[in-house]
Amino acid sequence: MDKLKKGLSKTRENTIGKIEALVKSSKKLDDDFWEELEEILIQADVGVNTTIELVDNIKKAAKKQKMHDSSEVLELIKDEIRKLLEYNNVPLNIPQGELAVILVVGVNGAGKTTSIAKLAYRFHEEGKKVLLGAADTFRAAAIDQLNIWADRVGVEIIKHQEGSDPGAVVFDAIHASRARHADILIIDTAGRLQNKANLMKEISKIKNIIQREIPEAPHEVLLVLDATTGQNAISQAKIFEEATGVTGLILSKLDGTAKGGIILAVEKELKIPVKLVGIGEGLEDLRDFSPQIFTEALFAHNGGD
C-alpha cells in the first residue's frame, strides 16, 4: 500500500488534489460543480466517454442519497471509481501442474522488456522454474537486453540470432521448457506498429505454433501499455487487441505520470482487465492490480507518503 501510494503521488496531487479543492470551494452540487469535476477527470486522461458515464453515476448516487452539500460527495466519487475498476477485474491465469505460456506484446519503448524481467523475477521468487523466449528477433538490442535481464533475474533464456524466424524461437522455447520441466514460459515479441498487417501475421504465426504444441495456450496474452502516453495507449491497445486477442494489460510507468486516470479509460473503453501495474524501477515493483487497494492509495492523504 505504501509503495502504491508513493507510485501514485503525481496522479493523486494532480487529480484527487484538484477534486478535493473543488469540493472545498463549492458549496452545493450544481451544474458548475459537475462541469468542473468532468474537466478535472478529462485532464487526468480518464477519457471523455468514461468521464461522462462516471460523473453521471456519481450524480445519480448523490440524488438517491439526497446529497446537496459538495463536502459529502468525495466518498461517492471514490466508490464509483472503485466500482468501475472492479467491473472487469480478473487475476492472472497461471495453471498449476502444467507449463504456463505467457505471450507479451506491446510497442517498443512501452516497458515491455523490463515488465517481462519483473514478471520473471516474481515467479522465480515464488520458487517456479521460468524460461524466457526471445521472439523479438527484429532488433538485436531486444535479444541482448532480454539476455541481460535473464542473467540478472537468474532465469534461462532461449534465443536465436537477429533476423531469425520468431516462430522457430517459440518452437524451441516450448521444447526446452518441457525438457527442463519449466513451470512458466514468457515469450517476448516484436513491438513495431508501422505495418499492422505484418504484426498481425507474425503474432498469428507465433500463436499457431504455441497452440499446435499446447492447445490451451497461450494462457495469457499480456499487452504492455505505457501509462505516460495517455490516450495514445488506447489506440495502441485497439491495434494489438485486433492482432493478438489480448487477455490482460500491464500498465507500466504508472509512477511516472500525473494522469493515472488512464487506468479508468483503459478498463472502460477496452473491456480488457488491467492485471498488473508498474509502480517503480525495482524488480519487485510490478504488482497485481487490485481495484480496492488502488482506490485507497489514490485517495490516501499526501501526508501519509
Side-chain angles (χ1 to χ4, degrees), residues 202-259:
E202 194 174 285
I203 302 275
S204 295
K205 184 182 171 187
I206 286 171
K207 281 184 82 174
N208 287 342
I209 289 165
I210 294 169
Q211 283 165 351
R212 194 177 67 213
E213 298 300 314
I214 307 168
E216 61 278 12
H219 301 92
E220 287 282 8
V221 179
L222 298 177
L223 168 62
V224 181
L225 292 177
D226 178 347
T228 65
T229 61
Q231 292 294 309
N232 192 33
I234 291 179
S235 54
Q236 279 176 25
K238 285 175 179 169
I239 293 170
F240 275 102
E241 162 62 10
E242 197 183 329
T244 67
V246 176
T247 58
L249 301 172
I250 298 177
L251 207 56
S252 69
K253 309 178 195 177
L254 202 55
D255 56 313
T257 181
K259 297 184 172 187

Side-chain angles (χ1 to χ4, degrees), residues 5 14 16 31 43 48 73 117 124 126 132 150-151 166 234 236 260 278 289:
K5 272 167 66 179
N14 181 55
I16 306 307
D31 288 346
Q43 284 172 356
V48 176
V73 86
H124 181 64
E126 288 172 1
L132 302 183
D151 288 345
I234 291 179
Q236 279 176 25
F289 176 65

Side-chain angles (χ1 to χ4, degrees), residues 92-94 99-105 111-126 128-136 142 146-147 149-150 153 155-159 166 169-174 176-178 182-189 206 210 214 217-224 250 276 283 286:
L92 273 178
N93 174 31
I94 305 296
L99 177 63
V101 181
I102 301 172
L103 196 59
V104 182
V105 300
K112 184 160 55 81
T113 314
T114 48
S115 293
I116 289 169
K118 289 172 181 177
L119 203 50
Y121 173 79
R122 166 198 169 143
F123 292 133
H124 181 64
E125 288 297 292
E126 288 172 1
K128 294 184 169 72
K129 185 170 178 62
V130 182
L131 252 73
L132 302 183
D136 181 358
L146 200 64
N147 200 46
W149 278 115
V153 172
V155 298
E156 294 177 67
I157 182 170
I158 304 301
K159 58 181 180 173
V169 178
V170 170
F171 181 84
D172 285 356
I174 290 170
S177 297
R178 282 175 166 157
D183 300 300
I184 295 172
L185 169 62
I186 306 172
I187 300 167
D188 187 18
T189 58
I206 286 171
I210 294 169
I214 307 168
H219 301 92
E220 287 282 8
V221 179
L222 298 177
L223 168 62
V224 181
I250 298 177
L276 297 152
L283 278 169
L286 187 70

Side-chain angles (χ1 to χ4, degrees), residues 4 29 59 80 88 91 99 105 115 141 160 172 205 218 221 233 248 281:
L4 190 57
L29 299 173
K59 264 191 206 176
E80 289 302 326
N88 198 22
L99 177 63
V105 300
S115 293
H160 289 189
D172 285 356
K205 184 182 171 187
V221 179
E281 298 285 322

Side-chain angles (χ1 to χ4, degrees), residues 3 122 275-279 284-289:
K3 186 77 191 183
R122 166 198 169 143
K275 298 207 173 182
L276 297 152
V277 288
I279 52 165
E284 70 288 346
D285 290 334
L286 187 70
R287 307 291 173 92
D288 285 325
F289 176 65

